[in-house]
Amino acid sequence: MDGVARPVSGLRRKGVLAILALHAGTIVSVDRLVHAIWDEHPPATALNTLQRHMSYLRRVFGVRDAIVARPPGYALEIGAEATDAAVAERLIRQARQSEDSAANTTRLRAALALWRGPALMDVTGLPWMEEQSRRLTLLEVEARHALIEARLALGEHTELVPELRRLTSEQPYHENMHGHLMLALYRSGRQAEALDAYQGLRRALREDLGIEPSSALQDLQTDILRHAPSLDPPGQSVTVTPAASTATVPSQLPLAVRTFVGREAELARLDAILAESDPARPAAVLISAVSGTAGIGKTALALHWAHRVAERFPDGQLYVNLRGFDEGGSTLDPLAVLRSFLDALGVPAQRIPATVDEQASLYRSLLAGKRLLVVLDNARDVAQIRPLLPGSGGCVVVATSRRQLTALVATEGAHPLTLDLLTWPQARYLLAARIGGHRVAAEPEAIDEIIERCARLPLALALAAARAATRPHLPLSGLAAELRDAGALDPFDRDDPATDLRAVFSWSYGALSPDAAHMFRLLGLHRGPDITAEAAASLAGLPLSRVRPLLTELTDAHLLAEHAANRYTFHDLLRAYAAEQASRLDDHETRRLAVHRLLDHYLHSAHGASQLLDPLHVPIEPAQVQPSVIVQRHGGHDEALSWFTAEHASLLATVDLAADAGFEQHPWQLASTLTTFLLRRGSWHDHTRAHSTALAAARRLGHRTGQAHALFNLGMGHARSGQFDDAHPLLKRALDLFGHIGDPVGAAVALETMSWIMERRNRLPEALREVNRALSLVQASGHRAYEARFLNDLGWFHSLLGDHHQAIAHCEKALALCQELDDLNGQAATWDSLGQAHRQLGEYQQAITCYEYSLGLYRELADAYNEAITLADFGDTHFDAGDPDAARLAWQEALDILTRIDHPDAEDVRDRLDRQPG
């Protein structure tokens, strides 16, 4: 609408919009919409939910009649060709009906330009949508094939050869595509290459599928052999180039991976580097240094690209595997490589000098003025590469290594290109290319698990695909189960060391210094998604000054990646290998002490941060920190919040690590430090998981204090997320345990949380009674900050009971005490309570001012849930004051937050908006 992008949130809302857009201008019945969105199991509220989705989409469009209700359903009125799909289908249909190759080429190119990625990717997971996605994908494939046929008819055979080579590499069994390649080569005067393309396909079909090429392709081969006039382009005849002379033009590239997929950005980068080269200028040679971890696909990328551009290098292609990380240390000497290159360039043996410098000089002289591609694969270091570099422009070198070839970038001007793991779509395409798209589409959940277990590592995915290909009649869920049940690396054991992941990883690990190897092993004990240098130093028990060079060595070897400043990670299979090596080479006590130091780093750093977020969360007392542990210090609330944002995933993983390792205090204390951060973000699932783990660990060890804290935090999380029936019994058990261990603050806060539940159940007198009990406990023990908190609670409940003046009196006492103590959390809550009381008294301007103070503080504290609840009340106040526009703005903002954190209160706010439409 009006050319402005308008984001739509929610899978099913996007699904509704997609269905209407695919049928733009026609009525889609309610039954069809419900079936497409919920399949065979729609909820009882499906019709009401569908109506809300329509209201939401109208608001997004900003035009109420964009979606109109017409029995028996709805229609999207946006014009006949307002969607890319409609335009593409019209262009392809016109091309089918026309014999004008030039016009069809224009139409099909325009249609294909409308595909900007897999169709309907935003609504994967809905079966009807996946069916439509497959239909549109087939339409795209049809258009690509039709475009090739149209271009062949126009005589663009020479231009098509590189693209057809790429397509036949990606689709090794597609006979029509191979036929197009054969025809394009033949019409380009390259009869021998056309016949060689046929023989390559024939071998693949025989060896892989046990079949022969179709009769049509066999007839095409026969026609090429006898120069049949029917193969000539209209109005032209083909002149076949005679065989080349006996002069040596090296063509050493090994066979490229037939099922190479993805890496579009990397291939584009290499293409850009090649485009920069100018054979007419005597500039320095252009080099690309491709690096990445073991099994990431460096060689596959280099060879795939080299084959794509081989025709750009008429003087040939040189290739060598430098074996920089092969088993047994069999690294190739540059002298031996130079000798083999000189042989390939036709230099007689008696003319080859003895020393490496003389050979390198002769090699550079031979390449001067030539256009030649050199692929130096699997280099150990820059010293192995330098003698093999040409000395002038015209040649291009691609070097691959498991190490970052920084010196090559600095001194020779190489273009660095580091490979990362495949994306999820690329991993799916790889599996589809190897085992068939129909098998991938039939078992999407199994495919997702296979990709996850393979850590999106190309080598691991290729091994899993090979196993699936040998069992074509068995379900992929069986392979997923094997990967799940076996050890992380066991499914990738192979007799061939080149494809055995343990062996492949060991070649990089074996090249490390002893200290870096020990650091690598210890990092395998850490379970979080990444680790800082400070945490790594604590894990190793070493000062930062000694750890940073070790981390640099690991990143240079691509056994570790610094994916953000001071944040290091490796994929799950490398983690499993590191942990295996730690278990094999480091004794139990060494590993346990390292884990203890790591836990202390996270616990003491998180404890300080949580105190800055909310000093009134039930206090814990961590044990004294271990020697050699670095504790992160935080300069204030914002720094603490940023630290939690960066570290919360590692902290959650560390709770599990502490529990599994049998530590007594760390599981429940780590979980407790996370509570404020997780609840403010609305991370209900993470909060429940952490405290459930902590509770199980405390029960296993009979630790009553740990049980009390875990029960309380679990109950508070359930209460904040609206699961009151689950929350109350947990809080009751926590209250009893706090009483037994003599913790009045814990008991008081449990009582306060129980009062929230009683409020939601409309049992206000009981809620008031529980808050009075909590207030008595903290007054008796002299906790003034908690006294302020519970005074505010008293004011809130008095207001709900109708005594608004008494409510204001209690809240003003609470506010003064919170301000004296600089308690921002208490001030935010109290301003909210004051806003409620003034609103009930009809003092709307005072109420608005109070809510504005509260909202400002909740935003400063990054407390999403309480910000949303205050916004909802803020909207009610504006509505009561006669300002419905301001009310709708506040309600919409509240709804956006509650939807984002998946809170059930979102429905109440949505109802307010629906009752007062704009």
Side-chain angles (χ1 to χ4, degrees), residues 320-324 329-337 384:
V320 64
N321 178 2
L322 294 169
R323 301 206 296 266
S330 56
T331 303
L332 280 186
D333 189 293
L335 188 66
V337 178
Q384 201 182 13

mmCIF file of all heavy atoms in Angstrom, residues 320-324 329-337 384:
data_model
loop_
_atom_site.group_PDB
_atom_site.id
_atom_site.type_symbol
_atom_site.label_atom_id
_atom_site.label_comp_id
_atom_site.label_asym_id
_atom_site.label_seq_id
_atom_site.Cartn_x
_atom_site.Cartn_y
_atom_site.Cartn_z
ATOM 1 N N VAL A 320 47.178 -27.322 -6.611
ATOM 2 C CA VAL A 320 47.943 -28.212 -5.739
ATOM 3 C C VAL A 320 47.288 -28.250 -4.363
ATOM 4 O O VAL A 320 46.809 -27.228 -3.857
ATOM 5 C CB VAL A 320 49.412 -27.754 -5.606
ATOM 6 C CG1 VAL A 320 49.520 -26.387 -4.936
ATOM 7 C CG2 VAL A 320 50.235 -28.783 -4.824
ATOM 8 N N ASN A 321 47.235 -29.434 -3.771
ATOM 9 C CA ASN A 321 46.850 -29.586 -2.369
ATOM 10 C C ASN A 321 48.128 -29.564 -1.555
ATOM 11 O O ASN A 321 48.931 -30.508 -1.585
ATOM 12 C CB ASN A 321 46.116 -30.913 -2.167
ATOM 13 C CG ASN A 321 45.743 -31.151 -0.705
ATOM 14 O OD1 ASN A 321 45.996 -30.298 0.161
ATOM 15 N ND2 ASN A 321 45.146 -32.283 -0.421
ATOM 16 N N LEU A 322 48.351 -28.477 -0.841
ATOM 17 C CA LEU A 322 49.588 -28.294 -0.084
ATOM 18 C C LEU A 322 49.648 -29.154 1.181
ATOM 19 O O LEU A 322 50.674 -29.173 1.857
ATOM 20 C CB LEU A 322 49.758 -26.818 0.277
ATOM 21 C CG LEU A 322 49.967 -25.890 -0.934
ATOM 22 C CD1 LEU A 322 49.868 -24.434 -0.517
ATOM 23 C CD2 LEU A 322 51.302 -26.169 -1.595
ATOM 24 N N ARG A 323 48.552 -29.815 1.508
ATOM 25 C CA ARG A 323 48.489 -30.769 2.633
ATOM 26 C C ARG A 323 49.015 -30.142 3.934
ATOM 27 O O ARG A 323 49.733 -30.779 4.705
ATOM 28 C CB ARG A 323 49.258 -32.050 2.298
ATOM 29 C CG ARG A 323 48.737 -32.773 1.073
ATOM 30 C CD ARG A 323 49.027 -34.248 1.114
ATOM 31 N NE ARG A 323 50.424 -34.581 1.081
ATOM 32 C CZ ARG A 323 51.126 -34.871 -0.015
ATOM 33 N NH1 ARG A 323 50.516 -34.862 -1.190
ATOM 34 N NH2 ARG A 323 52.393 -35.168 0.042
ATOM 35 N N GLY A 324 48.636 -28.886 4.147
ATOM 36 C CA GLY A 324 49.138 -28.169 5.318
ATOM 37 C C GLY A 324 48.699 -28.751 6.640
ATOM 38 O O GLY A 324 49.368 -28.545 7.662
ATOM 39 N N GLY A 329 51.828 -35.050 9.255
ATOM 40 C CA GLY A 329 52.729 -33.948 8.958
ATOM 41 C C GLY A 329 53.343 -33.993 7.571
ATOM 42 O O GLY A 329 54.483 -33.572 7.369
ATOM 43 N N SER A 330 52.606 -34.506 6.572
ATOM 44 C CA SER A 330 53.149 -34.660 5.215
ATOM 45 C C SER A 330 52.945 -33.395 4.392
ATOM 46 O O SER A 330 52.514 -33.447 3.245
ATOM 47 C CB SER A 330 52.491 -35.851 4.524
ATOM 48 O OG SER A 330 51.076 -35.703 4.526
ATOM 49 N N THR A 331 53.268 -32.236 4.973
ATOM 50 C CA THR A 331 53.107 -30.960 4.290
ATOM 51 C C THR A 331 54.022 -30.888 3.074
ATOM 52 O O THR A 331 55.198 -31.257 3.150
ATOM 53 C CB THR A 331 53.443 -29.814 5.257
ATOM 54 O OG1 THR A 331 52.605 -29.917 6.397
ATOM 55 C CG2 THR A 331 53.229 -28.473 4.596
ATOM 56 N N LEU A 332 53.488 -30.411 1.942
ATOM 57 C CA LEU A 332 54.297 -30.322 0.729
ATOM 58 C C LEU A 332 55.291 -29.174 0.835
ATOM 59 O O LEU A 332 54.950 -28.062 1.235
ATOM 60 C CB LEU A 332 53.400 -30.092 -0.482
ATOM 61 C CG LEU A 332 52.693 -31.311 -1.081
ATOM 62 C CD1 LEU A 332 51.969 -30.907 -2.351
ATOM 63 C CD2 LEU A 332 53.666 -32.423 -1.373
ATOM 64 N N ASP A 333 56.521 -29.453 0.411
ATOM 65 C CA ASP A 333 57.556 -28.429 0.345
ATOM 66 C C ASP A 333 57.319 -27.572 -0.896
ATOM 67 O O ASP A 333 57.024 -28.098 -1.973
ATOM 68 C CB ASP A 333 58.928 -29.105 0.268
ATOM 69 C CG ASP A 333 60.052 -28.102 0.418
ATOM 70 O OD1 ASP A 333 60.210 -27.269 -0.493
ATOM 71 O OD2 ASP A 333 60.772 -28.162 1.426
ATOM 72 N N PRO A 334 57.440 -26.242 -0.795
ATOM 73 C CA PRO A 334 57.252 -25.391 -1.979
ATOM 74 C C PRO A 334 58.154 -25.795 -3.150
ATOM 75 O O PRO A 334 57.774 -25.627 -4.308
ATOM 76 C CB PRO A 334 57.588 -23.993 -1.457
ATOM 77 C CG PRO A 334 57.303 -24.053 0.002
ATOM 78 C CD PRO A 334 57.661 -25.446 0.425
ATOM 79 N N LEU A 335 59.346 -26.322 -2.859
ATOM 80 C CA LEU A 335 60.253 -26.744 -3.928
ATOM 81 C C LEU A 335 59.616 -27.843 -4.774
ATOM 82 O O LEU A 335 59.678 -27.822 -6.006
ATOM 83 C CB LEU A 335 61.574 -27.231 -3.324
ATOM 84 C CG LEU A 335 62.702 -27.534 -4.320
ATOM 85 C CD1 LEU A 335 63.151 -26.254 -5.020
ATOM 86 C CD2 LEU A 335 63.883 -28.196 -3.611
ATOM 87 N N ALA A 336 58.968 -28.818 -4.099
ATOM 88 C CA ALA A 336 58.318 -29.912 -4.833
ATOM 89 C C ALA A 336 57.144 -29.396 -5.648
ATOM 90 O O ALA A 336 56.883 -29.850 -6.771
ATOM 91 C CB ALA A 336 57.854 -30.978 -3.850
ATOM 92 N N VAL A 337 56.420 -28.408 -5.101
ATOM 93 C CA VAL A 337 55.276 -27.856 -5.812
ATOM 94 C C VAL A 337 55.744 -27.093 -7.048
ATOM 95 O O VAL A 337 55.178 -27.230 -8.150
ATOM 96 C CB VAL A 337 54.451 -26.945 -4.895
ATOM 97 C CG1 VAL A 337 53.276 -26.342 -5.660
ATOM 98 C CG2 VAL A 337 53.957 -27.711 -3.683
ATOM 99 N N GLN A 384 54.573 -21.186 2.973
ATOM 100 C CA GLN A 384 54.351 -22.240 1.989
ATOM 101 C C GLN A 384 53.786 -21.683 0.684
ATOM 102 O O GLN A 384 53.923 -22.282 -0.379
ATOM 103 C CB GLN A 384 53.385 -23.275 2.585
ATOM 104 C CG GLN A 384 53.428 -24.636 1.933
ATOM 105 C CD GLN A 384 52.415 -25.582 2.549
ATOM 106 O OE1 GLN A 384 51.530 -25.161 3.284
ATOM 107 N NE2 GLN A 384 52.548 -26.858 2.255
#
